[in-house]
Amino acid sequence: MRRCSSRVFRALTRTFSTKQQIVVHPDVRHALAQKQPVVALESTIITHGMPMPENVETALLVEQDVRKNGAVPATIGIIDGCITVGLTQEELMELARKPREQVIKCSRRDLPYVVKMGQSGGTTVAATMIVAHRVGIPIFATGGIGGVHREGHITLDVSADLVELGRTPVAVICSGVKSILDIPRTLEYLETQGVCVATYASEGGVFPDFYTRDSGCKVPYNLPTAEHAAQLLRAWQQLNLQSGVLIGVPIPAEHAADKSAIDAAIKQANAEALAQGITGKDVTPFLLAHIARLTKGRSLQANIALIRNNASVAAQIACKLAKEQSSTSSRKSSMKKPLVVGASILDLSFKITEKRNLHLDGATYAGVAKQAAGGVGRNIAEGIYKLYGDVNLISAVGRDQLGQILRQLMPQTLQNGLIVDESHATSLCSVVFDQSGDCKLILGDMEVHNSITPQLLKERSNLFRDAPLIVMDSNISEQAMTCTLELAERYQVPVFFEPTDMFIAGKPFKLRSELTRHIRLTKPNMHELKTIVETITGQSVNWEPNTKVERSELLAQAKQLLHQIESHFNCIIATLGAHGVLLSIRSDAAHDTSKLLSLSPSCEHITHFYAAPKLSNIVNVSGAGDSFCAGFITALLRSHSLDECVAAGFVSAERALLSESAVPSTYFQNELAFESSLRDALQTLQRHIL
């Protein structure tokens, strides 16, 4: 439904929201909210590009072409200081009727002045890109972009459009660079700005030059269809490059002008502009109008044809892009979510700043205190959520102030499975670190985790049924562990066990062996590994692990422990502090990591040692192991190789070590950035088969 009075609407907008400088039409706002395809359109075509009445007629036809091809048009302009996205027909007419001298050709530099002074303006390519990006429109159709002017290497007259393409992530669909400009130098400038330039359905990648189909220049890439263009734009979005894309669409052959006639008209128009002293942003409108007169209107008709064609192509690409995005969202929504059952804790950490050794003698030590969301299960769940894309968490907090604080520190998705206990306080853990960041003492209240009862777990059995992997930490009760493993057995889901602490690492292995056989993967440190070995074998290990020894001695100790229990698991990841990790895996998983999730009996094992990457400027060590776990699991669920799973663990742990919190606010910008970091890590990954 269109607005009955645009002037009244803008007046009301100013009355009720003096800070609102961009008004989005309800149709456009709804389309964006529903992830429907939207195409941005500029308004200098109305204010400066064409004469009356062709300017308004063309603007309305262009919007009609966008709709016919399945997208929502959003013409952008400024009326009385109000930036409007989705001009109505009334507003288009209002802009067109204003005297030229009262309407500013508005680029980036002009936006603050025009808005502040309550003036009106037609938005150029640059300004339209800025506004489109601000409201979330990724595709913009126009006739042609500005560029390096002829003799620009002397005058330094370079359009702001080119700079904007280098810093604003909007895809511009056009018929190339206006013929009146220096096209070879313009393409060189765009390359310097890092702009991806491609042609659309062009033979041999020949770049168009507005009025004609062949500028004499070629670009590296050609996109034969709208689907190909959408795929490129999807990759561009995922890479988050923060620069634009330029797609050159040749004018339809039947409307293309005679190149020699156009070149002659351009030459004459340039000479006339020079003679009259036309400069700056007045040059392009002057030249276009002069060329239209010299060609007896043929150039104007070509201009109308190409902008309409560009709008149609942009709408087709926008529809394909929306479909690509919808498909990705559908894949994510249908993606099986791993399940984490474990502790959520509010961590209160103290790092001693004094240069003296810590002794538990009642003395006061100067230190820095920090508060953060913690808990092994919660940390791993948040890491998987940020790396893999989705996860379910079953955990418990108290209905108290600490619980409110903890929930505020957690992503909303992780709160859906929280059990809120009326009778127990939220788990609080006080951790003391020495000057070097080594953990020296942990005091914890863990009673609330007894709220994770077998009954509550059974009520959430659908989460177990649909999970590709269950992650269980050792903070939950033996009854909850028994129920978790029974549900894993019922639904035939493998379990990844996180031992959590040396004193409780053996807890699940005291249960029936037919249940514990579903624990297929575990990640203990050396002290936890010793506890697990003692629990499974029933024999004491009469020596204490020490990660401060030489690497060769440490590896010998770890391998001795692994050898005693490796047949019980598909994969044991023994963490060796700054040295790295030692993996004992079933031999058939070396080239097929899906075997790590297998519930069949484990076969012969092989052992791989991976050296930890060197890292300086470490900020926090409390969540590195949990982030390693999240990275390893993410890569495993995505069917990566063993080396890639370990590399994913290392790069995720590195992000945690450099973060103030146990789980970084962001590991990577997106999935492509994660995969790119993974490839980089593989280049330096050091693996040794022992």
Side-chain angles (χ1 to χ4, degrees):
M1 184 172 67
R2 309 302 284 180
R3 281 169 284 190
C4 60
S5 174
S6 304
R7 193 180 298 278
V8 171
F9 178 79
R10 291 196 303 275
L12 287 172
T13 299
R14 287 181 179 278
T15 301
F16 292 112
S17 180
T18 56
K19 292 184 179 179
Q20 186 172 2
Q21 294 163 336
I22 301 179
V23 174
V24 182
H25 188 278
D27 291 353
V28 178
R29 192 186 312 120
H30 178 265
L32 291 170
Q34 298 300 314
K35 309 296 184 186
Q36 295 172 357
V38 179
V39 175
L41 303 166
E42 45 119 322
S43 49
T44 49
I45 188 176
I46 304 162
T47 59
H48 295 81
M50 293 182 183
M52 280 282 281
E54 287 88 351
N55 55 353
V56 175
E57 292 172 355
T58 301
L60 294 173
L61 285 171
V62 165
E63 288 198 344
Q64 186 177 318
D65 291 327
V66 171
R67 291 191 188 94
K68 279 182 180 178
N69 284 277
V72 175
T75 302
I76 295 172
I78 308 171
I79 302 180
D80 301 331
C82 181
I83 300 173
T84 304
V85 180
L87 293 172
T88 63
Q89 183 171 342
E90 177 188 353
E91 289 167 330
L92 289 172
M93 294 297 298
E94 186 178 343
L95 260 185
R97 290 193 185 110
K98 286 181 180 287
R100 276 289 162 90
E101 60 273 11
Q102 293 182 17
V103 182
I104 294 176
K105 184 183 176 186
C106 193
S107 189
R108 173 183 278 265
R109 69 172 187 180
D110 308 295
L111 284 172
Y113 179 83
V114 174
V115 170
K116 175 64 179 174
M117 302 304 293
Q119 296 193 349
S120 297
T123 53
T124 63
V125 168
T128 305
M129 288 180 71
I130 293 167
V131 178
H133 176 55
R134 189 72 59 85
V135 300
I137 303 174
I139 294 180
F140 160 37
T142 185
I145 65 165
V148 179
H149 281 255
R150 300 190 182 195
E151 303 300 319
H153 58 295
I154 298 171
T155 64
L156 299 183
D157 191 349
V158 178
S159 171
D161 296 351
L162 305 187
V163 181
E164 208 61 54
L165 275 160
R167 64 184 171 191
T168 301
V170 170
V172 179
I173 317 300
C174 66
S175 288
V177 183
K178 293 183 178 76
S179 308
I180 57 178
L181 303 170
D182 188 328
I183 296 174
R185 283 195 171 93
T186 298
L187 291 174
E188 287 288 345
Y189 194 95
L190 287 169
E191 182 181 348
T192 301
Q193 291 290 312
V195 179
C196 178
V197 180
T199 54
Y200 181 85
S202 170
E203 295 179 8
V206 174
F207 197 68
D209 68 346
F210 201 64
Y211 296 123
T212 73
R213 295 171 62 86
D214 185 354
S215 65
C217 300
K218 288 188 177 183
V219 295
Y221 313 115
N222 178 54
L223 305 167
T225 66
E227 188 169 3
H228 285 86
Q231 289 169 352
L232 179 140
L233 295 184
R234 186 65 183 139
W236 160 69
Q237 288 177 327
Q238 291 172 334
L239 286 168
N240 196 30
L241 295 176
Q242 298 303 306
S243 56
V245 173
L246 182 68
I247 299 178
V249 182
I251 183 173
E254 63 272 22
H255 297 289
D258 177 80
K259 190 167 182 63
S260 58
I262 284 292
D263 286 344
I266 291 171
K267 187 175 181 181
Q268 187 175 339
N270 269 311
E272 188 63 30
L274 188 63
Q276 293 187 29
I278 306 296
T279 59
K281 61 184 179 181
D282 296 326
V283 172
T284 297
F286 175 87
L287 293 177
L288 292 177
H290 205 74
I291 291 166
R293 287 196 298 274
L294 291 172
T295 59
K296 298 181 172 57
R298 290 191 299 277
S299 67
L300 177 59
Q301 293 309 309
N303 195 352
I304 294 170
L306 67 86
I307 180 59
R308 292 189 62 186
N309 182 60
N310 295 344
S312 297
V313 170
Q316 292 163 18
I317 294 172
C319 289
K320 293 291 185 182
L321 180 60
K323 187 176 179 181
E324 283 269 330
Q325 292 168 329
S326 174
S327 174
T328 301
S329 298
S330 297
R331 284 197 302 272
K332 284 190 174 181
S333 63
S334 63
M335 180 172 60
K336 282 193 168 186
K337 300 179 185 180
L339 171 64
V340 180
V341 184
S344 290
I345 299 172
L346 186 64
D347 282 340
L348 188 60
S349 65
F350 299 87
K351 185 174 181 180
I352 296 172
T353 54
E354 291 186 41
K355 294 183 177 179
R356 58 180 172 132
N357 294 328
L358 173 65
H359 298 286
L360 301 180
D361 54 5
T364 300
Y365 294 81
V368 177
K370 291 180 182 176
Q371 178 179 277
V376 170
R378 195 217 67 86
N379 288 350
I380 293 173
E382 184 175 348
I384 293 174
Y385 170 68
K386 290 177 175 177
L387 291 167
Y388 181 66
D390 218 342
V391 70
N392 286 313
L393 170 66
I394 298 177
S395 191
V397 297
R399 192 179 294 280
D400 52 20
Q401 188 173 5
L402 292 179
Q404 290 178 350
I405 294 171
L406 180 54
R407 277 178 282 173
Q408 288 172 358
L409 295 170
M410 293 171 64
Q412 183 62 46
T413 301
L414 300 188
Q415 299 182 37
N416 298 334
L418 282 182
I419 298 162
V420 181
D421 191 325
E422 301 280 355
S423 57
H424 290 96
T426 297
S427 182
L428 179 66
C429 193
S430 297
V431 187
V432 179
F433 297 97
D434 64 14
Q435 306 95 310
S436 61
D438 288 334
C439 179
K440 292 299 182 183
L441 180 67
I442 302 176
L443 299 173
D445 175 6
M446 304 294 180
E447 286 299 311
V448 74
H449 301 128
N450 291 326
S451 306
I452 306 173
T453 63
Q455 180 59 36
L456 288 172
L457 290 173
K458 289 174 183 176
E459 290 173 4
R460 293 161 170 77
S461 63
N462 61 307
L463 302 182
F464 291 83
R465 180 194 64 210
D466 298 334
L469 179 68
I470 298 165
V471 181
M472 178 177 74
D473 82 16
S474 206
N475 283 308
I476 61 176
S477 68
E478 288 189 13
Q479 292 79 10
M481 284 186 176
T482 299
C483 185
T484 296
L485 294 172
E486 285 173 346
L487 289 167
E489 181 180 37
R490 179 189 304 174
Y491 297 116
Q492 293 295 289
V493 182
V495 175
F496 188 118
F497 174 59
E498 172 50 63
T500 311
D501 183 89
M502 62 186 290
F503 295 110
I504 55 176
K507 193 189 293 186
F509 305 105
K510 298 174 183 177
L511 306 176
R512 303 191 313 270
S513 60
E514 61 268 25
L515 290 180
T516 56
R517 67 184 179 85
H518 283 275
I519 299 177
R520 308 314 299 145
L521 305 95
T522 187
K523 188 188 70 63
N525 61 29
M526 285 292 287
H527 293 283
E528 294 160 353
L529 179 60
K530 175 176 179 271
T531 301
I532 293 172
V533 169
E534 290 178 333
T535 307
I536 290 177
T537 64
Q539 299 176 357
S540 296
V541 176
N542 55 10
W543 50 270
E544 287 298 320
N546 182 6
T547 57
K548 304 296 184 183
V549 299
E550 291 293 323
R551 178 181 293 178
S552 58
E553 184 179 346
L554 179 62
L555 290 174
Q557 292 177 0
K559 193 170 181 183
Q560 180 187 342
L561 292 174
L562 290 173
H563 183 66
Q564 297 181 60
I565 60 169
E566 59 189 14
S567 62
H568 292 263
F569 304 92
N570 291 338
C571 175
I572 306 173
I573 307 167
T575 60
L576 308 178
H579 293 287
V581 295
L582 184 64
L583 268 68
S584 174
I585 61 165
R586 52 189 292 166
S587 57
D588 58 355
H591 302 292
D592 179 7
T593 52
S594 67
K595 298 295 185 183
L596 296 181
L597 301 174
S598 172
L599 294 174
S600 64
S602 188
C603 56
E604 182 184 350
H605 273 237
I606 55 176
T607 309
H608 291 184
F609 169 68
Y610 292 87
K614 299 297 181 185
L615 191 65
S616 56
N617 302 319
I618 292 174
V619 175
N620 172 34
V621 298
S622 63
D626 301 334
S627 285
F628 181 97
C629 205
F632 186 93
I633 289 171
T634 294
L636 178 60
L637 294 177
R638 289 182 182 162
S639 303
H640 282 287
S641 69
L642 184 65
D643 285 356
E644 289 168 336
C645 291
V646 175
F650 278 145
V651 295
S652 302
E654 284 177 17
R655 296 299 192 277
L657 289 166
L658 298 175
S659 169
E660 290 285 349
S661 55
V663 180
S665 57
T666 303
Y667 284 97
F668 306 96
Q669 288 292 334
N670 49 47
E671 189 175 324
L672 281 178
F674 172 70
E675 297 291 340
S676 176
S677 295
L678 200 55
R679 287 192 294 272
D680 292 343
L682 283 171
Q683 300 299 316
T684 56
L685 191 68
Q686 298 179 36
R687 172 168 56 88
H688 307 278
I689 300 176
L690 302 182

